[in-house]
């Protein structure tokens, strides 16, 4: 597929303009654009500006509130629940992470559950907020139901990502940012666009048969938890997805399981919801709450060096340290621009036309 | 294989006697036996009294200290690092979890990293200590290196289990207790004893070829991370195992990666260790730090009911809620006794003979 390349600042400006046009306060527009751009910079193209029109459609359906009154509704010295007032997750999540950071600053750790929010972009953005302050960061969110628990055919969990971030010394931070399903939905969408089969173990049909048909999800099929089947530990992937759902939503008062409101605007939320919006969960722990930061970073470097030297099966594919490819992409794309595929550019320009924002034009 | 059945109290008494004979203070012997018995009761036969002689062999090698001075060496209001003084993990871990519980009682949450410890039994025991106090419990530990990172052939991580425990209302607590490898080593040992092949995706040979040979581990092979291969998300299993290793050891000052001392006494630890003993990590968060306990439990019950009603692929295999099979085993075995296979009974009686403890005799 043809790609067009845009400089980060140009795309950032465009994205901010869109958020301002739907009524977001300037500060929110800047922050929301920053979260989306971070995803594009880090090479996670499915979670960046490609989703911008999706957020706007939810706003049009009045499912996203452009001027939310985000607030703490319950707290102790180190825990809190935040109500996002149906705001953009891109704005609600950094608010909540800041609360966790402030608590950690004072008491060593801070933990914040969030309800009444929306899609928060990449989990890594929020965990990195802690890592930049020499803290360990946790970020997770539940999401539209697509994944069936082991032994079942019902879509009861989202791809529910979890992220753990650790600062290092001379090396980039270790950022483990992963969906708890065998494959993220974005990978399926790529196969759908190309009409290509997917590996066995990603998807099952509506009656629970394994399939390589990337379109099976559209005919009632479901994604499989990490592990793919019971023999290979799919009950563990299910357990991790359940953990994210409970921490993000049962703990906060958001919707869980099949009641999580769909990200796509053309599917309405179910009736009789048990909670408010979607849920997130964040945590921050000061490294120096456990040992001096310098000592920790020296050992992180030693850990990274030892794992980087792991003997590869094939000389052309060395080990990958979690977070390293994303940082490499970020450095490259800051310099060389962000590639967008043509359908995304077309979609963004339709949005721009509708809202009265200057159209994107290829610069490079 | 023939099984002999023993009443819980009888086996508990035997286990306490063994720990006392190696010089553990009474209180430690009672606690260590409680952790092992909990594993046998919950049906996790690989982590119960079957390991008793392994602990004793480590004590004989002076790698386990029967009279440790376990202490907090670093802390903030909600974080701490505990030095286990080379004690039994079965004793060090509950000490550390109690520190986390006390901090959570006062400040909402408590987080404790542990160094200089040994194998701590099942992670679920420690997480349940929090759950019983209406808290959410976290427990994890690193372990002897057996798992190769994705794309490599080197055993750099243990099966590094993580456990998340959540209290519920009318239902048993949800306990997600899982190795971060595709299969736990115990499952491989069963296949080895029976000379049966294992599923593809559990093990690779020393040069990184997938194999169904359960014995491959003994000839330089390695276990695979959860996900089994890159296409099915083994980089996520690697990321989770890395997370456990970093939280348990890089944060606490224990050994990590290939330096984690082996559980088996006939393999010596590597020279030039970067830390002390093996490491654990524990956490506790008060549920009422986020929302009232009754509200949380009502929603946990609703969550469990909805997931229990998930449409099964096959009528004879319903969905499994994490923690439910273990609780069922516990109820059954408390009543009907704990089965041990003959080789385990023989091993325990050799131990008893050596230490001067009354031999185990089948009662039922």
């Amino acid at each position: 597929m043809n790609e067009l390349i845009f400089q980060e600042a140009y795309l950032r400006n465009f994205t901010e303009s869109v958020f301002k046009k739907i009524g977001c306060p300037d500060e929110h527009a800047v922050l929301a654009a920053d979260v989306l751009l971070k995803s594009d910079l880090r090479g996670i193209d499915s979670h960046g500006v490609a989703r911008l029109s999706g957020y706007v459609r939810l706003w049009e359906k009045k499912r996203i509130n452009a001027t939310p009154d985000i607030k703490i509704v319950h707290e102790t010295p180190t825990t809190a629940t935040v109500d996002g007032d149906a705001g953009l997750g891109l704005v609600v999540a950094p608010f909540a992470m800041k609360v966790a950071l402030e608590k950690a600053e004072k008491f060593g750790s801070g933990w914040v559950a969030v309800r009444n929010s929306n899609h928060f972009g990449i989990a890594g953005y929020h965990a990195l907020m802690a890592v930049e302050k020499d803290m360990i960061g946790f970020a997770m969110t539940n999401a539209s139901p697509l994944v069936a628990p082991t032994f079942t055919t019902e879509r009861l969990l989202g791809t529910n990502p979890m992220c753990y971030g650790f600062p290092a010394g001379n090396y980039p931070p270790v950022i483990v940012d992963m969906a708890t399903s065998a494959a993220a939905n974005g990978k399926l969408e790529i196969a759908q666009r190309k009409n290509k089969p997917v590996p066995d173990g990603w998807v099952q049909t509506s009656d629970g048969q394994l399939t390589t048909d990337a379109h099976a999800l559209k005919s009632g099929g479901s994604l499989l938890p990490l592990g793919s089947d019971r023999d290979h530990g799919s009950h563990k992937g299910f357990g991790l997805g359940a953990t994210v759902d409970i921490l993000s939503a049962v703990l906060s008062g958001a919707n869980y399981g099949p009641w999580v409101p769909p990200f796509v605007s053309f599917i309405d939320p179910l009736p009789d919801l048990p909670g408010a919006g979607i849920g997130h969960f964040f945590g921050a722990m000061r490294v120096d709450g456990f040992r001096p930061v310098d000592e920790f970073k020296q050992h992180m470097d030693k850990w990274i060096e030892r794992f980087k030297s792991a003997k590869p099966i094939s000389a052309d594919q060395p080990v990958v340290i979690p977070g390293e490819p994303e940082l490499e992409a970020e450095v490259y794309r800051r310099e060389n621009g962000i590639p967008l595929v043509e359908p995304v550019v077309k979609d963004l320009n339709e949005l721009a036309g509708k809202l009265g924002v200057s159209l994107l034009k290829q610069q490079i």
Side-chain angles (χ1 to χ4, degrees), chain A:
Chain A
M1 216 172 295
N2 269 347
E3 285 180 342
L4 288 80
I5 314 270
F6 298 93
Q7 288 298 347
E8 175 198 347
Y10 179 78
L11 211 49
R12 182 182 292 275
N13 190 276
F14 174 86
T15 308
E16 289 174 5
S17 302
V18 168
F19 283 125
K20 286 177 191 167
K21 281 285 180 184
I22 67 168
C24 294
D26 285 4
E27 196 192 341
H28 286 190
V30 168
L31 179 55
D34 193 51
V35 179
L36 290 187
L37 265 291
K38 188 78 166 180
S39 179
D40 285 310
L41 285 167
R42 287 172 74 81
I44 307 157
D45 300 338
S46 54
H47 284 56
V49 295
R51 294 213 179 202
L52 187 53
S53 65
Y55 292 104
V56 173
R57 279 192 295 271
L58 284 173
W59 168 78
E60 286 168 341
K61 283 259 184 171
K62 300 196 193 312
R63 286 176 50 197
I64 281 178
N65 174 5
T67 55
D69 178 19
I70 309 164
K71 55 178 181 247
I72 296 172
V73 291
H74 190 108
E75 68 181 317
T76 70
T78 66
T79 65
T81 297
V82 161
D83 188 308
D85 196 21
L88 284 163
L90 308 169
V91 172
V92 175
F95 176 99
M97 189 44 133
K98 266 187 203 152
V99 173
L101 295 176
E102 282 161 18
K103 288 177 178 290
E105 201 66 56
K106 281 190 208 155
F107 298 101
S109 72
W111 304 86
V112 178
V114 179
R115 69 184 186 215
N116 208 0
S117 186
N118 282 284
H119 194 278
F120 75 9
I122 48 168
Y125 182 94
H126 314 295
L128 275 166
M129 289 172 65
V131 169
E132 283 156 11
K133 290 182 179 293
D134 286 342
M135 297 189 195
I136 293 169
F138 292 63
M140 47 187 81
T141 185
N142 68 7
S144 317
L146 291 173
V147 179
T150 305
F151 302 133
T152 78
T153 60
E154 276 193 89
R155 303 200 283 214
L156 294 185
L157 288 170
T159 53
N160 293 8
M162 40 176 43
C163 179
Y164 302 92
F166 304 96
N170 298 321
Y171 291 94
V174 171
I175 307 291
V176 177
D177 186 356
M178 49 174 270
T180 53
S181 49
N185 195 31
K187 288 197 182 173
L188 222 71
E189 287 167 353
I190 292 167
Q192 287 163 359
R193 276 199 294 269
K194 295 184 177 169
N195 253 315
K196 288 208 166 164
V198 294
D200 241 341
W202 285 16
V203 190
Q204 65 182 5
T205 61
S206 59
D207 57 354
Q209 304 306 307
L210 286 180
T211 178
T212 59
D213 177 8
H215 300 283
L217 217 57
K218 290 179 183 161
S219 41
S222 40
L223 290 175
L224 293 167
L226 174 60
S228 297
D229 59 37
R230 179 61 175 78
D231 262 356
H232 296 87
S234 68
H235 56 300
K236 300 176 185 179
F238 166 42
L240 292 170
T243 295
V244 173
D245 202 30
I246 294 170
L247 287 172
S248 300
V250 181
L251 193 57
S252 69
N255 294 299
Y256 41 82
W259 293 287
V260 177
F263 179 72
V264 290
S265 62
F266 58 86
I267 304 180
D268 284 331
L270 294 176
D272 302 323
L273 295 178
I278 79 167
H280 319 307
F281 184 74
F282 303 101
M285 298 189 295
R286 293 172 68 122
V287 164
D288 64 5
F290 298 92
R291 74 189 298 186
V293 170
D294 285 354
E295 250 180 62
F296 177 82
K297 288 186 173 176
Q298 277 166 29
H299 284 280
M300 278 303 294
D301 283 353
K302 188 178 172 86
W303 189 97
I304 292 165
E305 277 166 15
R306 183 61 188 89
F307 278 77
K308 279 179 91 75
S309 76
K311 201 180 162 212
I313 294 174
S314 162
D316 58 1
Q317 177 57 70
V319 71
V320 178
I321 304 297
E324 208 181 61
E326 292 83 358
L327 189 69
E328 276 171 15
E330 192 170 342
V331 170
Y332 183 85
R333 289 184 172 189
R334 273 197 204 284
E335 181 72 21
N336 299 288
I338 293 167
L340 298 179
V341 293
E342 272 181 348
V344 167
V345 177
K346 184 163 172 284
D347 179 64
L348 289 172
N349 277 337
E350 280 169 17
L351 182 67
K354 192 165 65 177
L355 294 174
V357 170
S358 304
L359 298 193
L360 282 177
K361 286 189 193 114
Q362 174 140 18
Q363 311 161 285
I364 301 171

